[in-house]
Amino acid sequence: MNTYKAFEVREEPEKKFQGSIVEKSRMEPEEGSLVIEVCYSSVNYKDALSASGSKAVTREYPHVPGIDAAGKVLTSSDPNFEAGDEVIVTGYDLGMNTAGGFAQQICVPATWVAKLPSGLSLRDSMVLGTAGLTAGLCVDKLLKSGVTPERGKVLVTGATGGVGIIACALLSMLGFDVVASTGKLSESERLKALGVAEVVSREALSEENPRPLLKESYAAAVDVAGGTTLVNVIKSLSYGGSVAACGLVDSPAMNATVLPFILRGVNLLGIDSVELPLSKKQEIWSLFAGEWSLTAIDSLAETIVLAELPSVLKKVLAGGAVGRYVLDLRA
Ligand SMILES: NC(=O)c1ccc[n+]([C@@H]2O[C@H](COP(=O)([O-])OP(=O)(O)OC[C@H]3O[C@@H](n4cnc5c(N)ncnc54)[C@H](OP(=O)(O)O)[C@@H]3O)[C@@H](O)[C@H]2O)c1
């Protein structure tokens, strides 16, 4: 291919941001980098921010968003990779200030590129994408903190979103009693089909409560919300419990006391899927290819094409998306 298609976002007058499909010339690799033919990408909350002009994510436009990409190496200037290798790229600067995966080609440093483990298809790696990697990192840290199914229920907030739905599926598969918190109670049956034991309304956790401690309800939690939701989750952990905090869809701010930490010994575990070493990303991909292989993976995502991105990005930004969107770039 001497040219390839990309979804490029431009800044229009009055700070409006508009995305359209454009044709670009084939890339050449720079020293230490690879050109990858992208077969699949996926849509994450950060992509919706980038596509809507969030300067906290993307400083300059025109820009091609897409923090995830899976595909085949076209040309390599790194001896660890050769043409045809199947690879996954997530995070680092991809789709932020480096042209991202909403395109049929990317050019990235070899140090960002994970090899697709056998047992995982390129498409399934993007059903997971950054959301799945993040859910996997949350579960990995919770397991390492000593959480077991015998210790009690595990809460997942934002349960119908990308991180939330994969966390629900994975924890249920690992034998945990999962309580899903959602703003979309209409999706309860879908969550229960993934093995979730109980579905609760998002509102129960989103209101400020002056009490420093709440009833000990959960042995562990995966939280995508931050803000008041995370504070209420911390107050509701049982003695020695842990919460993996990865998101801020409620708020980045927290108004909390130290009492749950010093009276119940609970743990707040921070999760970053972007800058963590490639070897850790590779380890989580290998788990998803093996013992964490999700039986329900086909039901977690809808496949879309480039022309559908504007409407899907809008839905994700509004918090209205359910599950994952895989972008098929092979056409
Ligand atoms: N730390 C990391 O490395 C990392 C990696 C990936 C994502 N993240 C962050 O994690 C969060 C979730 O990402 P995602 O890709 O899963 O996004 P997503 O697919 O858009 O899902 C977010 C979900 O959060 C719920 N939600 C929306 N507004 C909420 C509110 N005000 N309070 C509580 N819940 C709300 C909704 O689910 P319900 O309707 O079911 O409640 C929504 O579907 C984002 O903040 C993202 O930036 C962080």
Side-chain angles (χ1 to χ4, degrees):
M1 276 194 298
N2 286 325
T3 61
Y4 67 94
K5 289 194 195 104
F7 179 82
E8 190 171 74
V9 176
R10 293 187 160 270
E11 189 166 2
E12 309 270 320
E14 292 172 29
K15 299 220 170 299
K16 286 202 171 123
F17 291 82
Q18 197 79 40
S20 61
I21 301 170
V22 297
E23 199 90 16
K24 289 182 173 276
S25 303
R26 182 189 168 106
M27 292 174 159
E28 290 304 328
E30 292 148 22
E31 187 59 32
S33 62
L34 313 176
V35 176
I36 295 164
E37 177 193 353
V38 183
C39 301
Y40 301 97
S41 181
S42 83
V43 181
N44 294 276
Y45 189 70
K46 204 188 252 179
D47 300 318
L49 290 175
S50 171
S52 62
S54 168
K55 297 273 161 109
V57 178
T58 301
R59 288 187 300 274
E60 283 180 21
Y61 295 83
H63 171 66
V64 177
I67 62 169
D68 289 342
K72 294 175 186 162
V73 174
L74 275 178
T75 37
S76 166
S77 66
D78 183 288
N80 293 315
F81 293 91
E82 55 187 54
D85 283 353
E86 294 190 310
V87 293
I88 309 170
V89 188
T90 62
Y92 304 118
D93 194 45
L94 186 70
M96 293 180 69
N97 292 293
T98 299
F102 292 177
Q104 290 171 316
Q105 282 184 23
I106 55 171
C107 180
V108 291
T111 50
W112 295 3
V113 182
K115 296 207 169 159
L116 183 79
S118 69
L120 191 65
S121 67
L122 283 174
R123 184 181 183 279
D124 285 354
S125 75
M126 288 294 102
V127 172
L128 298 164
T130 286
L133 180 65
T134 305
L137 288 165
C138 289
V139 172
D140 180 59
K141 251 194 184 172
L142 289 175
L143 294 175
K144 289 191 170 123
S145 79
V147 175
T148 59
E150 295 69 39
R151 292 190 56 179
K153 296 177 183 177
V154 179
L155 177 73
V156 177
T157 63
T160 68
V163 175
I165 207 162
I166 296 169
C168 284
L170 178 57
L171 287 161
S172 301
M173 197 185 79
L174 296 177
F176 286 92
D177 216 353
V178 177
V179 178
S181 161
T182 179
K184 308 183 196 84
L185 288 174
S186 56
E187 296 296 327
S188 297
E189 288 315 308
R190 182 167 177 185
L191 291 167
K192 286 187 176 163
L194 293 175
V196 162
E198 198 183 327
V199 181
V200 295
S201 166
R202 183 201 292 171
E203 282 161 24
L205 288 162
S206 60
E207 296 204 350
E208 270 193 48
N209 189 320
R211 291 169 59 199
L213 294 169
L214 298 171
K215 185 176 164 220
E216 294 183 53
S217 304
Y218 307 106
V222 171
D223 178 60
V224 304
T228 306
T229 305
L230 177 57
V231 173
N232 286 332
V233 170
I234 292 168
K235 290 179 186 177
S236 305
L237 290 173
S238 46
Y239 193 91
S242 300
V243 53
C246 69
L248 41 61
V249 284
D250 180 355
S251 167
M254 283 174 70
N255 178 16
T257 75
V258 297
L259 292 178
F261 303 105
I262 65 174
L263 296 180
R264 289 187 181 158
V266 303
N267 306 300
L268 176 55
L269 311 174
I271 303 297
D272 164 54
S273 69
V274 180
E275 293 295 338
L276 91 158
L278 185 65
S279 57
K280 186 68 194 181
K281 294 186 186 184
Q282 194 79 62
E283 180 191 321
I284 300 291
W285 292 127
S286 296
L287 282 166
F288 276 118
E291 59 188 278
W292 286 2
S293 176
L294 297 174
T295 38
I297 198 155
D298 282 340
S299 69
L300 297 179
E302 192 182 313
T303 303
I304 60 163
V305 292
L306 278 174
E308 292 169 277
L309 273 174
S311 63
V312 169
L313 288 164
K314 219 168 163 181
K315 213 169 172 181
V316 169
L317 194 62
V322 176
R324 298 273 299 143
Y325 292 93
V326 170
L327 177 64
D328 188 343
L329 288 145
R330 295 168 306 158

